Amino acid sequence: MPYSPPSRMPLGPRRRTLLASAAGVALLTGCSAGSEDSDGTRGGGPSAADRARARAARDSGRLVERYDAVLAAHPGLAERLTPLRAEVVRHREAFGEPAATASATAATTASPTTSPSPSASAPVPVPGDEKAALADLATAERTLADERAKALLDVPGELARLLASVAAAGAVHAYLLTETGK
């Protein structure tokens, strides 16, 4: 039996196409937040993105302090930890670390085992065993990576991409810190 097309051909787009297009337009235009400025600020305060960026820089700074404490307690781990610590310093700089903190970081980068970070309010406790110290650092990296992954939902595009990248790097650091063959 030969194929005969339906007697009534739809004219124009299908209902599904229209619904999908309407949903796409709604997602692209977004919702207005009333009195909120275009950069996400209310009443002249810092935007949510600025607060998230500052928090990420502080968190990276605390992680650098942890690396410094482990390096001071276990100088034999310097070859393994120095490249990872340098990456965390770069992450902090990527989040817009102030210049004064950057120069202090440069001083501690030159000799991480002799001078702790000047922003440390209390010494970071370090386990006496190297394996336990590495596991502690890995836990800190993993926890921070998880927090940054959750924060992705609350920040705009470019900062979200940066947080995602740094979170992925933190997860890799955690893996490298727990690798026994390295």
Side-chain angles (χ1 to χ4, degrees):
M1 174 178 234
Y3 173 76
S4 60
S7 60
R8 188 171 162 215
M9 294 293 285
L11 302 173
R14 294 182 177 191
R15 188 178 334 165
R16 286 184 191 166
T17 305
L18 288 174
L19 289 174
S21 298
V25 168
L27 286 173
L28 288 175
T29 57
C31 297
S32 173
S35 65
E36 196 166 310
D37 295 337
S38 63
D39 65 349
T41 61
R42 285 189 184 268
S47 70
D50 290 342
R51 289 189 306 272
R53 187 179 293 275
R55 183 175 47 253
R58 269 192 318 273
D59 291 344
S60 290
R62 288 188 196 112
L63 193 55
V64 169
E65 291 171 3
R66 283 185 164 283
Y67 273 95
D68 288 344
V70 171
L71 285 167
H74 302 287
L77 294 174
E79 183 179 337
R80 185 172 180 180
L81 296 182
T82 301
L84 299 177
R85 181 194 179 279
E87 286 298 314
V88 175
V89 169
R90 281 192 277 280
H91 296 163
R92 183 171 64 180
E93 292 168 356
F95 287 119
E97 163 191 86
T101 312
S103 62
T105 300
T108 54
T109 304
S111 60
T113 58
T114 58
S115 60
S117 175
S119 62
S121 56
V124 178
V126 177
D129 179 39
E130 284 186 358
K131 283 188 178 188
L134 289 174
D136 190 47
L137 262 179
T139 300
E141 285 272 16
R142 191 175 303 108
T143 301
L144 187 53
D146 291 345
E147 289 172 8
R148 287 177 171 160
K150 289 176 188 171
L152 290 173
L153 301 173
D154 301 326
V155 296
E158 191 61 34
L159 181 56
R161 286 185 284 278
L162 178 60
L163 276 172
S165 176
V166 173
V172 170
H173 289 185
Y175 172 77
L176 291 174
L177 288 166
T178 56
E179 269 295 291
T180 56
K182 179 109 170 121

